[in-house]
């Protein structure tokens, strides 16, 4: 009796798996959180194939609420419900004008206040999102704060104003 094993390219340490184990891990990973050990299986074309799905099914996207609005990584913890600890610390250094050693900070994005004009049920409304580095961060911040799924089409208006 021969057991068919393959080396998984998504897991560290040259993990060797049977196709049936790979399929089970891929199925569980579709509900995995970013800090889960099976998270690398999410989006894997090999796992999708072993689970009997088309490889195109593997490219599930991360929900906007699970990534940092500024650096787009998936952290374990968010500050203000939208940015990771590292981005929070860099932004704090920018505001203070010095880093932890008392020197001027390097490689920091300028922070802005985003003013986003929206139209809901024919009523125009303006949303202000403070301390954002760019327009994508402003939109992701709104997605983090939303109680329901957001649908973005062409925005009525977006302006970045330099933070004081």
């Amino acid at each position: 009796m021969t057991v068919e094993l393959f080396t998984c390219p998504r897991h560290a340490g040259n993990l060797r798996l049977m196709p049936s184990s790979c399929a089970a891990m891929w199925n569980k990973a579709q509900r995995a959180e970013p800090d889960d050990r099976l998270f690398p299986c999410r989006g894997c074309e090999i796992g999708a194939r072993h689970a009997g799905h088309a490889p195109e099914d593997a490219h599930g996207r991360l929900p906007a609420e699970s990534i940092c609005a500024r650096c787009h990584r998936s952290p374990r913890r968010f500050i203000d419900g939208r940015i990771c600890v590292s981005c929070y610390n860099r932004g704090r250094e920018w505001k203070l004008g010095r880093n932890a050693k008392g020197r001027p900070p390097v490689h920091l994005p300028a922070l802005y206040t985003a003013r986003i004009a929206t139209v809901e049920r024919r009523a125009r409304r303006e949303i202000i999102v403070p301390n954002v580095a760019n327009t994508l961060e402003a939109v992701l911040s709104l997605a983090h704060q939303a109680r329901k799924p957001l649908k973005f089409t062409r925005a009525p208006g977006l302006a970045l104003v330099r933070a004081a």
Side-chain angles (χ1 to χ4, degrees), residues 10-69:
R10 290 191 166 239
H11 286 276
N14 296 326
L15 180 65
R16 299 196 37 88
L17 292 169
M18 292 189 312
S20 58
S21 300
C22 176
M25 289 169 66
W26 185 84
N27 284 323
K28 285 182 185 175
Q30 302 317 301
R31 297 178 303 278
E33 295 295 321
D35 60 345
D36 194 339
R37 68 179 179 83
L38 294 178
F39 195 72
C41 298
R42 192 174 182 153
C44 176
E45 293 180 6
I46 299 169
R49 205 173 306 116
H50 286 149
H53 292 272
E56 299 84 46
D57 296 345
H59 298 292
R61 299 285 182 246
L62 289 173
E65 309 86 56
S66 66
I67 62 173
C68 173

Side-chain angles (χ1 to χ4, degrees), residues 67-73 82-84 86-92 109-112 130-134 136-137 140-141 144:
I67 62 173
C68 173
R70 192 167 295 163
C71 68
H72 314 296
R73 286 182 269 176
R82 66 184 183 93
I83 59 173
C84 67
S86 177
C87 289
Y88 171 80
N89 289 337
R90 298 302 77 76
R92 190 166 180 275
L111 296 181
Y112 301 92
N131 301 322
V132 295
N134 53 39
L136 179 60
E137 182 182 348
L140 285 173
S141 294
H144 278 263

